[in-house]
């Protein structure tokens, strides 16, 4: 496993935020200075442009009323957190190494910034679906979404999610999505966002589905500058008191207690670990936000208790044991290939278990079959095991390498994942009582495996079947294709089985015929899709689609329309599509606004509805 260490020197990464604007030297904008309707935001615009967070355009304008896109907001958030600052450069490098492949599925233009937000624990991968995917990145950021992102930026996602007031602050509370209501109340309480206007009775309204403008974003950033207190430092863990959410850290002889919370992320070798697996004496690099540690990166492990430590588990035979002034060293060898071996130093606090009882280094013998836990390049726990083992858990992945090895990744009841390798002599595999091939196994299967000297000799898998209905939001065409589906407002990512069946309007189709923003249903085989069904766009007797525009993505050339029955439908257009106003004048796709009523004429083509004429009423 690659060790991602915090380096002593750093390189500042300077990324141009080209989607926001081109860089200019003048910090005075004629469309701000000469527009009295923007006076309320002028000071914030000046402050944020001078700080370099948000910039103007080459012609000397700021375009204060232009809407901010979702991806632009994420880029600004990463800048606020230090993605371009020299002292955070190593975090950025580690983030890209850890999440580069993940981010590539969503947005390849700004990998550093998105990896950084994931690594810091500010965003989750489901957030990338909502804000950075092809279908969503360039859509306008709505005010309720801005409220959620600002809470996350403060490292207060858990706190905001649980926040509540009664009665609701805003008269249009019913228009705020239920999942966003606590966030809106939280940012209001913190003075980050407030109402837009008042209703007829003089009560404040939040206007949750109104797009956030550049002027409003500048104001938000200015408020966040005052609220966002961040710093990074290195030190050594002195003591842990997680019952009281406190870690004492020694920074060059100065020991101070630092707070952690539910949003704190701890990492070792780039991967997320539980806070309770941290050890006293560990060297760390930390990032603090608003008085709590947001990120702890373990640089080297300390000598604290390792009884609860996590690490890489290896089943092997002891090939040799040596002890010298340099320490106690154990060579572990593959039970089926003695040339495949590695030598490790035993940690000073390594725990030894011999036939279920406590032992020591001298209790080990050559050719003992052992289970070794390796962390930080050292053996931190080792136990002598029976050569015959039975392992049960949930299958998460089946992997094949170029040398014809087969690996099964299995998650135990505590959520810990372990890799197991199939014996070179092969293994018997059954699924739901019938003989099966490895490729027929599916993530989510419940498995019971028999192992001999650490190698799988028998696999018994049990599948589960589940139905689903949702909105298709992302399609990833790769060696292992997958789709992301919004089910009850939550983004769920599913792999497609190699034999998955796709139907559009009852006709056989392929993954290439699918498009985002259509309603789909189907069945899961464990956690992988076996069948995926989509309906065609419903039209009237004239072949027309009529409804209200709920979304438009000019990059993907798709308009989402809701009909009178509340059904959401995706309409695609191309260079041959004609756009007309009801007056007969021509118009363009960019001129179509949400809420507009449209009448669309077109036809089905390979499972999608392509418009030939779009009339905006």
């Amino acid at each position: 496993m690659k060790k991602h260490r915090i380096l002593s020197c750093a390189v500042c990464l300077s990324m141009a935020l080209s989607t926001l604007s081109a860089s200019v030297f003048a910090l005075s904008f004629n469309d701000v200075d000469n527009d009295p309707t923007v006076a309320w935001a002028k000071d914030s615009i000046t402050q944020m442009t001078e700080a370099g967070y948000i910039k103007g355009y080459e012609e000397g304008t700021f375009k204060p009323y232009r809407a901010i896109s979702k991806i632009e907001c994420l880029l600004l958030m990463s800048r606020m957190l230090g993605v371009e600052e020299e002292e955070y450069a190593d975090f950025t490098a580690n983030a890209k190494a850890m999440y580069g492949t993940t981010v590539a599925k969503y947005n390849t233009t700004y990998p550093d910034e998105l990896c950084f937000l994931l690594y810091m624990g500010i965003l989750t991968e489901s957030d990338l679906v909502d804000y950075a995917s092809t279908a969503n990145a360039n859509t306008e950021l709505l005010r309720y979404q801005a409220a959620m992102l600002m809470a996350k930026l403060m490292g207060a996602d858990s706190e905001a999610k649980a926040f509540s007031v009664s009665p609701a602050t805003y008269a249009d509370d019913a228009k705020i999505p239920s999942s966003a209501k606590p966030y809106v109340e939280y940012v209001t309480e913190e003075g980050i966002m407030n109402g837009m206007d008042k209703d007829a009775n003089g009560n404040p309204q939040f206007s949750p589905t109104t797009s956030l403008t550049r002027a409003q974003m500048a104001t938000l950033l200015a408020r966040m500058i005052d609220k966002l207190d961040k710093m990074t430092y290195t030190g050594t863990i002195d003591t842990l008191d997680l019952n009281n959410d406190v870690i004492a850290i020694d920074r060059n002889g100065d020991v101070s207690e630092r707070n952690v919370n539910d949003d704190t992320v701890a990492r070792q070798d780039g991967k997320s670990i539980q806070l309770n697996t941290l050890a006293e004496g560990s060297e760390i690099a930390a990032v603090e936000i608003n008085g709590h540690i947001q990120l702890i990166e373990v640089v080297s492990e300390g000598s604290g208790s390792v009884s609860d430590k996590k690490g890489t588990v290896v089943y092997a035979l002891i090939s040799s044991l040596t002890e010298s002034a340099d320490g106690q060293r154990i060579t572990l060898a593959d039970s089926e290939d003695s040339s495949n071996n590695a030598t490790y130093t035993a940690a000073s606090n390594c725990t030894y278990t011999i036939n279920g009882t406590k032992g020591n280094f001298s209790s080990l013998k050559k050719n003992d079959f052992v289970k070794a836990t390796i962390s930080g390049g050292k053996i931190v726990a080792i136990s002598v095991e029976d050569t015959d083992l039975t392992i049960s858990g949930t299958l998460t992945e089946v992997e094949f390498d170029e040398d014809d090895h087969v690996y099964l990744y299995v998650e135990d009841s505590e959520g810990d994942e372990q890799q197991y390798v199939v014996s070179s002599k092969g293994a018997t595999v059954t699924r739901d009582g019938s003989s099966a091939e490895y490729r027929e196994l599916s993530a989510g299967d419940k498995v019971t495996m028999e192992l001999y000297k650490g190698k799988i000799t028998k696999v018994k898998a049990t599948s589960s079947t589940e139905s689903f209905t949702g909105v298709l939001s992302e399609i990833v065409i790769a060696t292992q294709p997958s789709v992301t589906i919004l089910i009850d407002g939550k983004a769920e990512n599913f792999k497609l089985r190699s034999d998955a069946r796709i139907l559009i309007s009852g006709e056989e189709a392929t993954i290439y015929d699918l498009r985002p923003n259509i309603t789909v249903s189907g069945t899961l085989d464990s956690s992988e899709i076996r069948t995926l069904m989509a309906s065609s766009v419903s039209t009237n007797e004239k072949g027309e689609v009529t409804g209200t525009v709920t979304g438009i993505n000019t990059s993907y050339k798709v308009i989402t329309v809701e009909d009178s029955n509340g059904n959401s439908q995706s309409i695609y257009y191309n260079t041959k599509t004609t756009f007309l106003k009801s007056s007969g004048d021509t118009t363009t796709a960019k001129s179509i606004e949400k809420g507009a009523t449209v009448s669309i004429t077109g036809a089905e083509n390979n499972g999608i509805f392509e418009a030939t004429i779009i009339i905006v009423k």
Side-chain angles (χ1 to χ4, degrees), residues 534-571:
S535 299
S536 61
V537 173
S538 59
T539 61
N540 60 22
E541 62 277 7
K542 297 180 181 179
E544 297 176 334
V545 176
T546 301
T548 303
V549 175
T550 59
I552 181 166
N553 187 328
T554 54
S555 297
Y556 210 76
K557 294 185 177 179
V558 60
I559 300 174
T560 306
V561 177
E562 185 177 287
D563 64 21
S564 58
N565 295 319
N567 298 316
S568 183
Q569 306 177 113
S570 295
I571 310 297

mmCIF file of all heavy atoms in Angstrom, residues 534-571:
data_model
loop_
_atom_site.group_PDB
_atom_site.id
_atom_site.type_symbol
_atom_site.label_atom_id
_atom_site.label_comp_id
_atom_site.label_asym_id
_atom_site.label_seq_id
_atom_site.Cartn_x
_atom_site.Cartn_y
_atom_site.Cartn_z
ATOM 1 N N ALA A 534 -36.824 1.533 -18.454
ATOM 2 C CA ALA A 534 -37.162 2.951 -18.587
ATOM 3 C C ALA A 534 -38.340 3.083 -19.540
ATOM 4 O O ALA A 534 -38.489 2.296 -20.482
ATOM 5 C CB ALA A 534 -35.965 3.748 -19.103
ATOM 6 N N SER A 535 -39.168 4.079 -19.284
ATOM 7 C CA SER A 535 -40.317 4.328 -20.158
ATOM 8 C C SER A 535 -39.988 5.440 -21.137
ATOM 9 O O SER A 535 -39.189 6.329 -20.847
ATOM 10 C CB SER A 535 -41.545 4.721 -19.336
ATOM 11 O OG SER A 535 -41.904 3.687 -18.456
ATOM 12 N N SER A 536 -40.612 5.412 -22.271
ATOM 13 C CA SER A 536 -40.417 6.487 -23.238
ATOM 14 C C SER A 536 -41.222 7.699 -22.808
ATOM 15 O O SER A 536 -42.091 7.615 -21.951
ATOM 16 C CB SER A 536 -40.869 6.037 -24.631
ATOM 17 O OG SER A 536 -42.243 5.703 -24.603
ATOM 18 N N VAL A 537 -40.940 8.819 -23.412
ATOM 19 C CA VAL A 537 -41.666 10.053 -23.109
ATOM 20 C C VAL A 537 -43.112 9.923 -23.571
ATOM 21 O O VAL A 537 -43.389 9.483 -24.681
ATOM 22 C CB VAL A 537 -40.985 11.250 -23.804
ATOM 23 C CG1 VAL A 537 -41.830 12.505 -23.644
ATOM 24 C CG2 VAL A 537 -39.595 11.447 -23.240
ATOM 25 N N SER A 538 -44.048 10.311 -22.682
ATOM 26 C CA SER A 538 -45.465 10.227 -23.051
ATOM 27 C C SER A 538 -45.870 11.463 -23.849
ATOM 28 O O SER A 538 -45.547 12.589 -23.497
ATOM 29 C CB SER A 538 -46.321 10.129 -21.783
ATOM 30 O OG SER A 538 -46.123 11.247 -20.949
ATOM 31 N N THR A 539 -46.571 11.247 -24.965
ATOM 32 C CA THR A 539 -47.016 12.346 -25.818
ATOM 33 C C THR A 539 -48.523 12.273 -25.986
ATOM 34 O O THR A 539 -49.154 11.244 -25.722
ATOM 35 C CB THR A 539 -46.343 12.264 -27.200
ATOM 36 O OG1 THR A 539 -46.710 11.021 -27.815
ATOM 37 C CG2 THR A 539 -44.830 12.345 -27.081
ATOM 38 N N ASN A 540 -49.119 13.388 -26.449
ATOM 39 C CA ASN A 540 -50.557 13.374 -26.718
ATOM 40 C C ASN A 540 -50.809 12.776 -28.104
ATOM 41 O O ASN A 540 -49.878 12.317 -28.779
ATOM 42 C CB ASN A 540 -51.150 14.780 -26.590
ATOM 43 C CG ASN A 540 -50.513 15.768 -27.583
ATOM 44 O OD1 ASN A 540 -49.956 15.368 -28.608
ATOM 45 N ND2 ASN A 540 -50.601 17.050 -27.278
ATOM 46 N N GLU A 541 -52.074 12.836 -28.530
ATOM 47 C CA GLU A 541 -52.420 12.207 -29.804
ATOM 48 C C GLU A 541 -51.744 12.871 -30.994
ATOM 49 O O GLU A 541 -51.646 12.298 -32.077
ATOM 50 C CB GLU A 541 -53.948 12.212 -29.996
ATOM 51 C CG GLU A 541 -54.576 13.596 -30.063
ATOM 52 C CD GLU A 541 -54.851 14.198 -28.698
ATOM 53 O OE1 GLU A 541 -54.429 13.569 -27.701
ATOM 54 O OE2 GLU A 541 -55.460 15.271 -28.622
ATOM 55 N N LYS A 542 -51.247 14.098 -30.801
ATOM 56 C CA LYS A 542 -50.567 14.804 -31.888
ATOM 57 C C LYS A 542 -49.048 14.563 -31.856
ATOM 58 O O LYS A 542 -48.311 15.135 -32.644
ATOM 59 C CB LYS A 542 -50.841 16.307 -31.789
ATOM 60 C CG LYS A 542 -52.312 16.677 -31.946
ATOM 61 C CD LYS A 542 -52.482 18.180 -31.831
ATOM 62 C CE LYS A 542 -53.941 18.587 -31.965
ATOM 63 N NZ LYS A 542 -54.104 20.063 -31.822
ATOM 64 N N GLY A 543 -48.589 13.755 -30.920
ATOM 65 C CA GLY A 543 -47.158 13.522 -30.805
ATOM 66 C C GLY A 543 -46.437 14.669 -30.129
ATOM 67 O O GLY A 543 -45.244 14.873 -30.341
ATOM 68 N N GLU A 544 -47.160 15.439 -29.285
ATOM 69 C CA GLU A 544 -46.580 16.595 -28.616
ATOM 70 C C GLU A 544 -46.379 16.308 -27.124
ATOM 71 O O GLU A 544 -47.119 15.535 -26.516
ATOM 72 C CB GLU A 544 -47.491 17.812 -28.767
ATOM 73 C CG GLU A 544 -47.685 18.281 -30.201
ATOM 74 C CD GLU A 544 -48.681 19.433 -30.262
ATOM 75 O OE1 GLU A 544 -49.526 19.524 -29.357
ATOM 76 O OE2 GLU A 544 -48.605 20.227 -31.210
ATOM 77 N N VAL A 545 -45.378 16.969 -26.576
ATOM 78 C CA VAL A 545 -45.140 16.963 -25.139
ATOM 79 C C VAL A 545 -45.396 18.379 -24.647
ATOM 80 O O VAL A 545 -44.814 19.340 -25.164
ATOM 81 C CB VAL A 545 -43.692 16.552 -24.801
ATOM 82 C CG1 VAL A 545 -43.453 16.641 -23.305
ATOM 83 C CG2 VAL A 545 -43.409 15.150 -25.301
ATOM 84 N N THR A 546 -46.269 18.530 -23.657
ATOM 85 C CA THR A 546 -46.572 19.849 -23.109
ATOM 86 C C THR A 546 -46.368 19.817 -21.601
ATOM 87 O O THR A 546 -46.752 18.849 -20.928
ATOM 88 C CB THR A 546 -48.033 20.251 -23.406
ATOM 89 O OG1 THR A 546 -48.224 20.250 -24.825
ATOM 90 C CG2 THR A 546 -48.338 21.640 -22.856
ATOM 91 N N GLY A 547 -45.737 20.844 -21.084
ATOM 92 C CA GLY A 547 -45.525 20.891 -19.642
ATOM 93 C C GLY A 547 -44.722 22.100 -19.219
ATOM 94 O O GLY A 547 -44.546 23.058 -19.987
ATOM 95 N N THR A 548 -44.240 22.061 -17.978
ATOM 96 C CA THR A 548 -43.480 23.157 -17.379
ATOM 97 C C THR A 548 -42.012 22.779 -17.271
ATOM 98 O O THR A 548 -41.684 21.663 -16.840
ATOM 99 C CB THR A 548 -44.030 23.479 -15.971
ATOM 100 O OG1 THR A 548 -45.417 23.787 -16.085
ATOM 101 C CG2 THR A 548 -43.295 24.665 -15.363
ATOM 102 N N VAL A 549 -41.146 23.684 -17.650
ATOM 103 C CA VAL A 549 -39.705 23.429 -17.585
ATOM 104 C C VAL A 549 -39.252 23.444 -16.129
ATOM 105 O O VAL A 549 -39.445 24.420 -15.411
ATOM 106 C CB VAL A 549 -38.926 24.487 -18.390
ATOM 107 C CG1 VAL A 549 -37.419 24.279 -18.219
ATOM 108 C CG2 VAL A 549 -39.300 24.416 -19.859
ATOM 109 N N THR A 550 -38.670 22.329 -15.680
ATOM 110 C CA THR A 550 -38.140 22.248 -14.312
ATOM 111 C C THR A 550 -36.618 22.270 -14.280
ATOM 112 O O THR A 550 -36.014 22.403 -13.221
ATOM 113 C CB THR A 550 -38.643 20.979 -13.621
ATOM 114 O OG1 THR A 550 -38.231 19.833 -14.380
ATOM 115 C CG2 THR A 550 -40.161 20.993 -13.494
ATOM 116 N N GLY A 551 -36.002 22.136 -15.441
ATOM 117 C CA GLY A 551 -34.542 22.175 -15.488
ATOM 118 C C GLY A 551 -34.052 22.197 -16.921
ATOM 119 O O GLY A 551 -34.718 21.696 -17.827
ATOM 120 N N ILE A 552 -32.894 22.811 -17.123
ATOM 121 C CA ILE A 552 -32.315 22.831 -18.473
ATOM 122 C C ILE A 552 -30.800 22.792 -18.351
ATOM 123 O O ILE A 552 -30.199 23.513 -17.547
ATOM 124 C CB ILE A 552 -32.771 24.072 -19.270
ATOM 125 C CG1 ILE A 552 -32.156 24.038 -20.684
ATOM 126 C CG2 ILE A 552 -32.471 25.362 -18.532
ATOM 127 C CD1 ILE A 552 -32.797 25.028 -21.642
ATOM 128 N N ASN A 553 -30.177 21.908 -19.103
ATOM 129 C CA ASN A 553 -28.727 21.774 -19.118
ATOM 130 C C ASN A 553 -28.257 21.956 -20.557
ATOM 131 O O ASN A 553 -28.371 21.051 -21.383
ATOM 132 C CB ASN A 553 -28.319 20.395 -18.590
ATOM 133 C CG ASN A 553 -26.814 20.264 -18.416
ATOM 134 O OD1 ASN A 553 -26.043 20.856 -19.156
ATOM 135 N ND2 ASN A 553 -26.409 19.492 -17.425
ATOM 136 N N THR A 554 -27.770 23.168 -20.854
ATOM 137 C CA THR A 554 -27.373 23.476 -22.228
ATOM 138 C C THR A 554 -26.099 22.737 -22.634
ATOM 139 O O THR A 554 -25.845 22.554 -23.826
ATOM 140 C CB THR A 554 -27.159 24.990 -22.402
ATOM 141 O OG1 THR A 554 -26.237 25.455 -21.413
ATOM 142 C CG2 THR A 554 -28.482 25.732 -22.243
ATOM 143 N N SER A 555 -25.290 22.305 -21.647
ATOM 144 C CA SER A 555 -24.084 21.547 -21.988
ATOM 145 C C SER A 555 -24.456 20.163 -22.485
ATOM 146 O O SER A 555 -23.857 19.636 -23.429
ATOM 147 C CB SER A 555 -23.169 21.437 -20.755
ATOM 148 O OG SER A 555 -22.730 22.716 -20.352
ATOM 149 N N TYR A 556 -25.450 19.564 -21.851
ATOM 150 C CA TYR A 556 -25.870 18.221 -22.231
ATOM 151 C C TYR A 556 -27.014 18.243 -23.241
ATOM 152 O O TYR A 556 -27.432 17.213 -23.749
ATOM 153 C CB TYR A 556 -26.312 17.449 -20.975
ATOM 154 C CG TYR A 556 -26.078 15.965 -21.072
ATOM 155 C CD1 TYR A 556 -24.797 15.438 -20.926
ATOM 156 C CD2 TYR A 556 -27.118 15.094 -21.312
ATOM 157 C CE1 TYR A 556 -24.575 14.079 -21.018
ATOM 158 C CE2 TYR A 556 -26.910 13.727 -21.407
ATOM 159 C CZ TYR A 556 -25.625 13.225 -21.251
ATOM 160 O OH TYR A 556 -25.414 11.876 -21.354
ATOM 161 N N LYS A 557 -27.541 19.461 -23.513
ATOM 162 C CA LYS A 557 -28.644 19.670 -24.447
ATOM 163 C C LYS A 557 -29.878 18.853 -24.063
ATOM 164 O O LYS A 557 -30.416 18.067 -24.835
ATOM 165 C CB LYS A 557 -28.205 19.345 -25.877
ATOM 166 C CG LYS A 557 -27.138 20.308 -26.406
ATOM 167 C CD LYS A 557 -26.810 20.056 -27.860
ATOM 168 C CE LYS A 557 -25.787 21.090 -28.374
ATOM 169 N NZ LYS A 557 -25.431 20.872 -29.781
ATOM 170 N N VAL A 558 -30.298 19.053 -22.817
ATOM 171 C CA VAL A 558 -31.473 18.357 -22.318
ATOM 172 C C VAL A 558 -32.347 19.323 -21.538
ATOM 173 O O VAL A 558 -31.846 20.173 -20.798
ATOM 174 C CB VAL A 558 -31.080 17.144 -21.436
ATOM 175 C CG1 VAL A 558 -30.256 17.593 -20.244
ATOM 176 C CG2 VAL A 558 -32.316 16.402 -20.962
ATOM 177 N N ILE A 559 -33.643 19.224 -21.744
ATOM 178 C CA ILE A 559 -34.625 20.020 -21.016
ATOM 179 C C ILE A 559 -35.514 19.054 -20.249
ATOM 180 O O ILE A 559 -36.031 18.087 -20.814
ATOM 181 C CB ILE A 559 -35.488 20.873 -21.970
ATOM 182 C CG1 ILE A 559 -34.600 21.834 -22.772
ATOM 183 C CG2 ILE A 559 -36.549 21.641 -21.198
ATOM 184 C CD1 ILE A 559 -35.354 22.599 -23.845
ATOM 185 N N THR A 560 -35.681 19.306 -18.951
ATOM 186 C CA THR A 560 -36.553 18.472 -18.136
ATOM 187 C C THR A 560 -37.903 19.161 -18.019
ATOM 188 O O THR A 560 -37.982 20.328 -17.627
ATOM 189 C CB THR A 560 -35.957 18.249 -16.736
ATOM 190 O OG1 THR A 560 -34.639 17.730 -16.886
ATOM 191 C CG2 THR A 560 -36.793 17.267 -15.947
ATOM 192 N N VAL A 561 -38.945 18.429 -18.376
ATOM 193 C CA VAL A 561 -40.301 18.986 -18.405
ATOM 194 C C VAL A 561 -41.207 18.145 -17.505
ATOM 195 O O VAL A 561 -41.156 16.915 -17.518
ATOM 196 C CB VAL A 561 -40.858 18.980 -19.848
ATOM 197 C CG1 VAL A 561 -42.296 19.493 -19.865
ATOM 198 C CG2 VAL A 561 -39.973 19.840 -20.755
ATOM 199 N N GLU A 562 -42.026 18.833 -16.721
ATOM 200 C CA GLU A 562 -43.007 18.160 -15.876
ATOM 201 C C GLU A 562 -44.388 18.364 -16.463
ATOM 202 O O GLU A 562 -44.805 19.495 -16.702
ATOM 203 C CB GLU A 562 -42.936 18.702 -14.448
ATOM 204 C CG GLU A 562 -43.852 17.974 -13.471
ATOM 205 C CD GLU A 562 -43.686 18.506 -12.053
ATOM 206 O OE1 GLU A 562 -42.651 18.207 -11.428
ATOM 207 O OE2 GLU A 562 -44.595 19.231 -11.595
ATOM 208 N N ASP A 563 -45.111 17.244 -16.707
ATOM 209 C CA ASP A 563 -46.433 17.377 -17.312
ATOM 210 C C ASP A 563 -47.492 17.634 -16.241
ATOM 211 O O ASP A 563 -47.176 17.730 -15.049
ATOM 212 C CB ASP A 563 -46.769 16.143 -18.155
ATOM 213 C CG ASP A 563 -46.869 14.860 -17.322
ATOM 214 O OD1 ASP A 563 -47.072 14.947 -16.103
ATOM 215 O OD2 ASP A 563 -46.743 13.767 -17.906
ATOM 216 N N SER A 564 -48.746 17.730 -16.660
ATOM 217 C CA SER A 564 -49.832 18.078 -15.740
ATOM 218 C C SER A 564 -50.085 17.010 -14.691
ATOM 219 O O SER A 564 -50.702 17.279 -13.654
ATOM 220 C CB SER A 564 -51.121 18.329 -16.534
ATOM 221 O OG SER A 564 -51.463 17.172 -17.309
ATOM 222 N N ASN A 565 -49.592 15.804 -14.932
ATOM 223 C CA ASN A 565 -49.755 14.718 -13.974
ATOM 224 C C ASN A 565 -48.582 14.600 -13.017
ATOM 225 O O ASN A 565 -48.528 13.681 -12.202
ATOM 226 C CB ASN A 565 -49.936 13.386 -14.721
ATOM 227 C CG ASN A 565 -51.217 13.360 -15.535
ATOM 228 O OD1 ASN A 565 -52.261 13.839 -15.072
ATOM 229 N ND2 ASN A 565 -51.145 12.801 -16.741
ATOM 230 N N GLY A 566 -47.617 15.521 -13.143
ATOM 231 C CA GLY A 566 -46.462 15.496 -12.260
ATOM 232 C C GLY A 566 -45.342 14.587 -12.711
ATOM 233 O O GLY A 566 -44.371 14.385 -11.979
ATOM 234 N N ASN A 567 -45.429 14.030 -13.920
ATOM 235 C CA ASN A 567 -44.381 13.161 -14.447
ATOM 236 C C ASN A 567 -43.239 13.995 -15.020
ATOM 237 O O ASN A 567 -43.472 14.931 -15.780
ATOM 238 C CB ASN A 567 -44.929 12.230 -15.524
ATOM 239 C CG ASN A 567 -46.006 11.302 -14.996
ATOM 240 O OD1 ASN A 567 -45.854 10.736 -13.924
ATOM 241 N ND2 ASN A 567 -47.097 11.167 -15.732
ATOM 242 N N SER A 568 -42.015 13.647 -14.646
ATOM 243 C CA SER A 568 -40.839 14.360 -15.143
ATOM 244 C C SER A 568 -40.279 13.628 -16.357
ATOM 245 O O SER A 568 -40.102 12.411 -16.336
ATOM 246 C CB SER A 568 -39.779 14.451 -14.047
ATOM 247 O OG SER A 568 -38.666 15.183 -14.483
ATOM 248 N N GLN A 569 -40.023 14.378 -17.436
ATOM 249 C CA GLN A 569 -39.565 13.780 -18.683
ATOM 250 C C GLN A 569 -38.369 14.562 -19.240
ATOM 251 O O GLN A 569 -38.314 15.782 -19.122
ATOM 252 C CB GLN A 569 -40.700 13.769 -19.710
ATOM 253 C CG GLN A 569 -41.967 13.100 -19.188
ATOM 254 C CD GLN A 569 -43.105 13.159 -20.177
ATOM 255 O OE1 GLN A 569 -43.528 12.148 -20.693
ATOM 256 N NE2 GLN A 569 -43.617 14.344 -20.429
ATOM 257 N N SER A 570 -37.432 13.840 -19.834
ATOM 258 C CA SER A 570 -36.240 14.461 -20.399
ATOM 259 C C SER A 570 -36.390 14.585 -21.906
ATOM 260 O O SER A 570 -36.680 13.604 -22.599
ATOM 261 C CB SER A 570 -34.988 13.642 -20.074
ATOM 262 O OG SER A 570 -34.754 13.643 -18.685
ATOM 263 N N ILE A 571 -36.222 15.800 -22.417
ATOM 264 C CA ILE A 571 -36.325 16.080 -23.843
ATOM 265 C C ILE A 571 -34.945 16.534 -24.327
ATOM 266 O O ILE A 571 -34.346 17.447 -23.755
ATOM 267 C CB ILE A 571 -37.350 17.193 -24.127
ATOM 268 C CG1 ILE A 571 -38.679 16.901 -23.422
ATOM 269 C CG2 ILE A 571 -37.538 17.379 -25.621
ATOM 270 C CD1 ILE A 571 -39.384 15.653 -23.885
#
